[in-house]
Amino acid sequence: MFINIRRDLHQIPELGFQEWKTQRYILDYLARLPQERLQMKTWRTGIFVRVLGMAPKKTIGYRADMDGLPIDEQTDVPFRSTHEGRMHACGHDMHMAIALGVLTHVVHHPIRDDMLFIFQPAEEGPGGALPMLESDEMKQWMPDMVIALHIAPEYPVGTIATKEGLLFANTSELFIDLIGKGGHAAFPHETKDMVVAASALIMQLQTIVSRNVNPLDSAVITIGKLTSGTVQNVIAERARLEGTIRTLSPEAMEKVKGRIEAIVRGIEVAYDCEAHIDYGSMYYQVYNDEALTNEFMQFVEQKTDVHLVRCQEAMTGEDFGYMLARIPGFMFWLGVQSPFGLHHAKLNPNEEAIGVAIELLTRYIAWKGNHKVEEEE
């Protein structure tokens, strides 16, 4: 059933804060469930679903992201995207199907505590977690802990991976616009060539990690797109660099941005041009609560057949970090065994992982929301 739900959702990927069809699909599904213990609120294109417990003492939160990516799908599956130029290439269709599976189980098999399911838009950008966290709707239903997962193509089905502390990096988009003076290629002395300026800037940006970041820390600066010029015999008046910054500490992020701004100021002087920096969407690090994560890992090892990998931190970015900065909780990787990685146009996760995740989470939540409460009393 939940594999079919994943396939339905896979066909209608939508970009951040445009997930209206996705929201409608989820609401229609929820309307078919018993309503006695369900409470729902919408927030923009997102949804809050509260499942009332039998004798609640706390609220367990579970978050699933909803948006797709601006990618042309290149799989040959019969349920491929019907939205041209859009694809669920990061597994958010899997995330939603798993969340609905867990929610359905909790509705039919009540636990003691309340649960709050958070269907969050715009994870890929411009970032839905922080404004959703600050919404009146979530403030009224703020959970005491929160959980999320992310598919991992590099791990086999039946495996999860996580660790206490830092799991995902601090990330920031990076957009730099350079404005000079265009002109005929035969008269370069009368122009301010932004292809040359952009080329110099890219090379200088690569020195930040090697010469300004502590070697015992980690950072990445990637310029993934450079746009400049119109035709081969006209000197470019403008150039635009688009990239990403990733660091393992907030301090390193501040340091990297400071150096970017200093280098860009130098480019303005050296190439007699105007420059503008935009950091776009910025995501806080995913930092797993040590006690809750260790408890979860022990549960997986002792009470399930799922294989647990104690992984290293990754330079991946996730706006779930904003929730973990305010609410104790954790995120883990879910193995889906695919030769193609996240954001790849041919990514086709193994759907057997959906059942693995639903069974693991329902067992953990039942333990956490029932027996664990009794143990603490």
Side-chain angles (χ1 to χ4, degrees):
M1 175 181 181
F2 297 103
I3 287 177
N4 289 333
I5 287 176
R6 179 257 165 168
R7 293 181 177 184
D8 289 344
L9 291 167
H10 187 82
Q11 295 180 69
I12 55 169
E14 298 166 291
L15 300 184
F17 292 127
Q18 299 174 26
E19 306 95 334
W20 297 110
K21 287 184 181 179
T22 303
Q23 183 190 60
R24 184 71 267 158
Y25 182 95
I26 294 172
L27 290 173
D28 287 346
Y29 175 84
L30 294 171
R32 296 193 293 271
L33 295 176
Q35 300 295 302
E36 292 78 11
R37 294 186 304 108
L38 279 183
Q39 298 177 345
M40 283 173 272
K41 296 179 182 180
T42 57
W43 174 83
R44 298 182 68 169
T45 51
I47 309 169
F48 293 101
V49 186
R50 189 180 185 188
V51 184
L52 300 178
M54 303 303 290
K57 292 193 173 182
K58 63 178 182 292
T59 299
I60 300 172
Y62 186 84
R63 174 271 206 169
D65 37 14
M66 302 168 66
D67 54 326
L69 285 158
I71 292 175
D72 285 310
E73 183 167 353
Q74 296 178 20
T75 70
D76 57 1
V77 298
F79 51 88
R80 69 194 308 274
S81 171
T82 60
H83 292 178
E84 185 176 354
R86 305 286 184 264
M87 179 187 176
H88 270 302
C90 202
H92 297 185
D93 51 343
M94 299 272 285
H95 299 173
M96 289 183 284
I98 291 166
L100 289 174
V102 177
L103 188 155
T104 302
H105 182 89
V106 175
V107 167
H108 291 288
H109 301 86
I111 63 172
R112 181 170 179 170
D113 287 324
D114 290 345
M115 280 206 69
L116 179 66
F117 290 86
I118 305 162
F119 292 91
Q120 180 215 305
E123 189 280 324
E124 298 291 351
L130 184 57
M132 200 171 198
L133 185 66
E134 294 175 341
S135 68
D136 291 338
E137 291 83 357
M138 187 157 181
K139 288 177 181 177
Q140 292 170 4
W141 286 350
M142 189 66 70
D144 298 286
M145 65 171 288
V146 65
I147 310 166
L149 63 78
H150 202 295
I151 68 163
E154 65 272 26
Y155 290 113
V157 173
T159 296
I160 68 164
T162 193
K163 65 182 289 291
E164 67 275 21
L166 185 67
L167 185 66
F168 290 178
N170 298 271
T171 68
S172 174
E173 294 177 334
L174 176 63
F175 305 97
I176 304 174
D177 290 293
L178 302 176
I179 305 169
K181 181 181 179 184
H184 198 291
F187 306 102
H189 58 292
E190 297 178 354
T191 69
K192 300 170 184 177
D193 190 341
M194 292 303 98
V195 166
V196 175
S199 301
L201 175 55
I202 290 171
M203 295 304 295
Q204 290 188 46
L205 290 176
Q206 299 311 307
T207 68
I208 295 175
V209 172
S210 64
R211 288 297 175 267
N212 300 123
V213 175
N214 187 328
L216 299 180
D217 202 346
S218 293
V220 171
I221 302 174
T222 296
I223 301 300
K225 183 178 180 180
L226 170 62
T227 307
S228 188
T230 53
V231 294
Q232 82 280 5
N233 62 346
V234 174
I235 289 174
E237 182 168 324
R238 292 175 174 266
R240 180 174 174 84
L241 289 68
E242 300 183 18
T244 182
I245 311 166
R246 290 152 194 263
T247 72
L248 290 185
S249 70
E251 294 77 18
M253 179 64 74
E254 184 177 352
K255 177 71 171 180
V256 166
K257 288 185 175 181
R259 286 300 301 145
I260 289 173
E261 291 160 15
I263 289 172
V264 169
R265 287 196 298 270
I267 290 291
E268 285 185 299
V269 174
Y271 293 90
D272 191 18
C273 65
E274 180 182 342
H276 303 283
I277 301 173
D278 178 7
Y279 291 116
S281 297
M282 293 174 280
Y283 291 174
Y284 193 71
Q285 63 193 20
V286 172
Y287 198 92
N288 285 343
D289 180 86
E290 183 172 352
L292 288 173
T293 307
N294 280 322
E295 178 187 78
F296 173 70
M297 290 192 291
Q298 290 174 16
F299 175 87
V300 173
E301 291 180 318
Q302 297 172 8
K303 300 181 184 294
T304 76
D305 295 327
V306 174
H307 178 59
L308 172 68
V309 174
R310 295 172 182 262
C311 62
Q312 297 296 313
E313 57 268 27
M315 283 296 185
T316 319
E318 242 284 0
D319 71 347
F320 184 61
Y322 287 114
M323 293 191 180
L324 290 181
R326 301 192 192 181
I327 309 166
F330 57 87
M331 171 173 268
F332 63 90
W333 291 108
L334 173 70
V336 296
Q337 197 165 1
S338 170
F340 301 103
L342 300 175
H343 293 203
H344 196 286
K346 293 184 178 181
L347 175 66
N348 184 21
N350 188 323
E351 294 175 322
E352 292 179 8
I354 294 174
V356 172
I358 292 172
E359 182 178 0
L360 170 62
L361 287 165
T362 52
R363 290 180 65 182
Y364 171 72
I365 287 166
W367 174 78
K368 185 70 177 174
N370 290 323
H371 306 300
K372 190 64 173 62
V373 172
E374 294 168 4
E375 290 173 9
E376 291 170 351
E377 291 179 341

